[in-house]
Amino acid sequence: MAPFATGTTTPHSIEDGVRSFDSPPSDITVLASSRAVIENRFTSATIVISTTTGKIITVWHSVLPESSFPPGTPYKDYSPCVLLPGLVDAHVHLNEPGRTEWEGFWTGTRAAAFGGVTTVVDMPLNAIPPTTTVAGLKEKVAAAQGKCWVDVGFYGGIIPGNAAELKPLVQEGVRGFKGFLIDSGVEEFPAVSATDIRKVFEELQDEPTTVMFHAEMIPPVTASVGDDVQWSLPPLAPTGPLDEYQTFLDSRPSSFEIYAILEILSLAHLAPNLPLHIVHLSAVEAIPMLRKAKESGVKITAETCFHYLSLAAESIKAGDTRHKCCPPIRGQSNQDGLWDEMLENDSIIKTVVSDHSPCTPNLKLLPSHVPGAEGGSKAGCCSNTSKGDFFSAWGGISSVGLGLSILWTEAMRRGFKTEETLRNIERWCCVNTAKQVGLEHKKGELKVGMDGDVAVFDDAAEFEVEPNTMLFRNKCSPYEGKVLRGVVRETWLRGRRVHSREDGFVEKGGPKGELLLERRKA
């Protein structure tokens, strides 16, 4: 049996501080594969994780045989599957408490674990109450206790009049803040004005946090819509039938995103050290101004979403409101432009997230022939004439736990190289998402000292998206029926297996996810 080392890549003796075992250890697990992504390097790897601390204690850049470890050591060689860091989905709406029928901690985090996501960060809406006060955060935390299958962090919300709550929320451990420049769709989370943003920047300019914006805003003059679009009403002059996707797309042009980003950039000088972030960027036209701002010293980044990188307006059929989200899914050329930007060496788009924003099927107003519509009429909230109405339907895409496979499928369709794409996915969905929320000291990479969060990814396997592969609460997603390439065989959280495709969830002992409430560091 070869010597066993921790924290190094070569064996050492116990005099060098290395552990030695005379009997089978009960406090380590060893995962290995001929293919792994380790600190932006595609390599063979053997990863040793302490099940006592949940931390990675050794990474070897080779596959050590089981005989290298004491007899009885839990060990598995997953070759040729790829070992990836557990994904960090930094944009998820779990909705509990208050709208738990839309989604909840139990179902949402199980869906995440199914797809190799080991950390999610919960948005401050659409829960009731929203996370805009310390009291609201405490209700959220109480609702999450004992229900999380992966680790969960929380964002705070920015609304008119809550500036005094922001510093206390930082102290309580929120990972950042989000505000809307256009109506959010729920009355308890109103949009902010320039005056509100000034107050927020003044309050948070020296705090260790990130301020994020839903960047859509109605320009002062527009020929396409009136202000009523803010209240999810049809435009005053619709360009076509309300069940046609193009009619909806015309009502949310890219100028909405551009104008909102211009507003944010015009105020950025008020807090020059405060990191700013644009959530779910969809319009490629906004990229040049973001690049220019960054080059001039503004601390600003952007994210995009799996659906903007895989779905295109031209393919959305009449009445299929599963595709409604805001900002909207735009055309194929726009999608191509987002990919082009992401592949740049210093892209302004740093992260890719799900923006999982579910609701009950009846709120999607799906026609009966669209998958996911079953039972939609039971709520009695809508007439048959409103079925398929893109303006009255709730906006949001359900995809938590499907993102890795969605991204991989599209990348392979585009002919991208395997190793380069895997390194990019580590950067977009692990390293940078962890950094965005101040968790880079423990999440997002497979290296010594980090949490032992691992996704075992079979990049050659395929599966069809069906209700039994959509573990979120409501089985209503535009991906249903699609065949995706890439299957997460197992998900490990802090050195313990949470889920496997073959055996399901490790139900014994219940969920082991932690609530990430330590205060962010500067």
Side-chain angles (χ1 to χ4, degrees):
M1 181 182 73
F4 175 78
T6 64
T8 67
T9 56
T10 54
H12 292 279
S13 68
I14 193 166
E15 286 77 14
D16 295 319
V18 179
R19 298 172 56 193
S20 177
F21 296 96
D22 297 320
S23 59
S26 60
D27 62 348
I28 63 166
T29 292
V30 181
L31 312 180
S33 178
S34 58
R35 305 165 74 219
V37 182
I38 308 292
E39 298 184 72
N40 197 36
R41 176 181 172 187
F42 192 77
T43 178
S44 300
T46 303
I47 302 168
V48 182
I49 307 170
S50 167
T51 55
T52 301
T53 65
K55 301 292 185 181
I56 296 172
I57 55 177
T58 308
V59 178
W60 302 75
H61 290 277
S62 62
V63 176
L64 298 185
E66 187 173 5
S67 60
S68 298
F69 302 91
T73 299
Y75 172 99
K76 188 165 183 180
D77 181 354
Y78 290 97
S79 304
C81 289
V82 182
L83 301 184
L84 288 169
L87 275 64
V88 178
D89 192 340
H91 192 142
V92 177
H93 295 265
L94 292 174
N95 299 342
E96 189 175 4
R99 290 191 175 96
T100 310
E101 70 276 14
W102 293 18
E103 189 63 275
F105 289 103
W106 183 275
T107 51
T109 58
R110 281 171 79 94
F114 177 85
V117 177
T118 52
T119 304
V120 301
V121 187
D122 179 58
M123 280 292 164
L125 72 165
N126 300 300
I128 301 175
T131 315
T132 53
T133 64
V134 170
L137 174 64
K138 290 185 181 299
E139 286 197 46
K140 172 78 75 169
V141 169
Q145 295 289 345
K147 298 178 183 177
C148 299
W149 291 85
V150 302
D151 290 352
V152 177
F154 303 91
Y155 288 122
I158 296 168
I159 61 172
N162 82 323
E165 292 279 351
L166 303 183
K167 285 184 178 178
L169 282 167
V170 172
Q171 293 290 337
E172 293 290 330
V174 299
R175 314 310 310 172
F177 293 90
K178 179 186 181 182
F180 278 70
L181 276 72
I182 197 169
D183 185 76
S184 70
V186 292
E187 61 182 0
E188 66 274 5
F189 205 95
V192 292
S193 66
T195 300
D196 299 314
I197 295 172
R198 288 188 183 94
K199 293 177 181 177
V200 168
F201 284 1
E202 180 180 350
E203 194 74 8
L204 294 176
Q205 60 181 324
D206 297 318
E207 294 294 323
T209 192
T210 300
V211 176
M212 311 180 301
F213 293 98
H214 178 125
E216 283 186 291
M217 193 173 184
I218 297 177
V221 178
T222 174
S224 60
V225 295
D227 287 352
D228 284 357
V229 76
Q230 294 188 60
W231 303 99
S232 299
L233 295 177
L236 299 184
T239 59
L242 301 185
D243 66 345
E244 291 288 342
Y245 184 74
Q246 187 62 47
T247 310
F248 172 68
L249 183 56
D250 290 345
S251 79
R252 311 285 292 222
S254 57
S255 59
F256 279 30
E257 292 189 70
I258 293 169
Y259 188 64
I261 291 170
L262 285 172
E263 181 83 346
I264 295 162
L265 294 177
S266 73
L267 299 167
H269 67 280
L270 299 174
N273 296 318
L274 180 64
L276 307 177
H277 185 73
I278 305 300
V279 300
H280 48 51
L281 180 73
S282 79
V284 293
E285 294 91 338
I287 290 172
M289 70 178 71
L290 287 168
R291 277 184 164 274
K292 184 177 180 180
K294 182 183 175 185
E295 291 166 1
S296 68
V298 178
K299 293 186 175 181
I300 192 162
T301 56
E303 70 189 31
T304 194
C305 302
F306 303 118
H307 43 276
Y308 298 133
L309 297 171
S310 63
L311 304 174
E314 294 90 339
S315 301
I316 300 175
K317 295 180 180 179
D320 193 349
T321 53
R322 295 176 302 173
H323 293 80
K324 180 185 176 180
C325 59
C326 298
I329 295 163
R330 304 193 187 277
Q332 185 62 56
S333 62
N334 188 89
Q335 181 192 116
D336 295 342
L338 291 173
W339 276 103
D340 289 343
E341 171 63 20
M342 287 168 52
L343 295 173
E344 291 288 333
N345 288 333
D346 192 24
S347 173
I348 194 71
I349 300 175
K350 298 298 184 185
T351 55
V352 184
V353 296
S354 69
D355 187 13
H356 176 67
S357 184
C359 65
T360 51
N362 58 291
L363 296 178
K364 275 293 189 183
L365 307 182
L366 289 170
S368 59
H369 68 277
V370 176
E374 291 80 4
S377 62
K378 293 180 181 179
C381 69
C382 54
S383 66
N384 288 332
T385 57
S386 65
K387 296 286 188 179
D389 182 343
F390 278 99
F391 292 87
S392 298
W394 173 260
I397 303 290
S398 293
S399 66
V400 68
L402 300 177
L404 176 55
S405 299
I406 293 167
L407 204 57
W408 184 252
T409 300
E410 182 61 22
M412 293 302 98
R413 187 188 72 80
R414 291 172 175 269
F416 296 163
K417 294 179 180 179
T418 296
E419 293 183 12
E420 181 181 355
T421 300
L422 288 167
R423 292 198 306 270
N424 283 336
I425 287 173
E426 182 206 36
R427 186 172 72 255
W428 297 330
C429 303
C430 308
V431 176
N432 287 352
T433 43
K435 183 177 181 180
Q436 177 187 319
V437 296
L439 293 171
E440 66 270 30
H441 62 290
K442 63 192 299 182
K443 301 290 185 182
E445 292 188 85
L446 298 177
K447 66 180 184 180
V448 172
M450 305 291 273
D451 285 357
D453 298 351
V454 184
V456 181
F457 184 56
D458 184 344
D459 59 313
E462 296 181 342
F463 71 101
E464 182 177 348
V465 181
E466 302 174 292
N468 66 354
T469 54
M470 297 185 289
L471 272 60
F472 33 85
R473 185 179 297 277
N474 294 291
K475 318 302 182 184
C476 181
S477 172
Y479 293 101
E480 183 169 359
K482 296 184 183 298
V483 175
L484 299 181
R485 185 174 177 183
V487 170
V488 176
R489 293 294 180 193
E490 294 187 6
T491 301
W492 290 73
L493 177 68
R494 283 177 277 104
R496 299 183 184 277
R497 191 175 68 180
V498 177
H499 178 266
S500 76
R501 279 292 179 110
E502 287 71 26
D503 302 322
F505 284 89
V506 181
E507 303 283 358
K508 185 178 180 179
K512 300 298 183 183
E514 295 181 351
L515 306 185
L516 304 173
L517 289 167
E518 72 272 21
R519 187 176 186 269
R520 283 187 68 161
K521 297 179 180 179

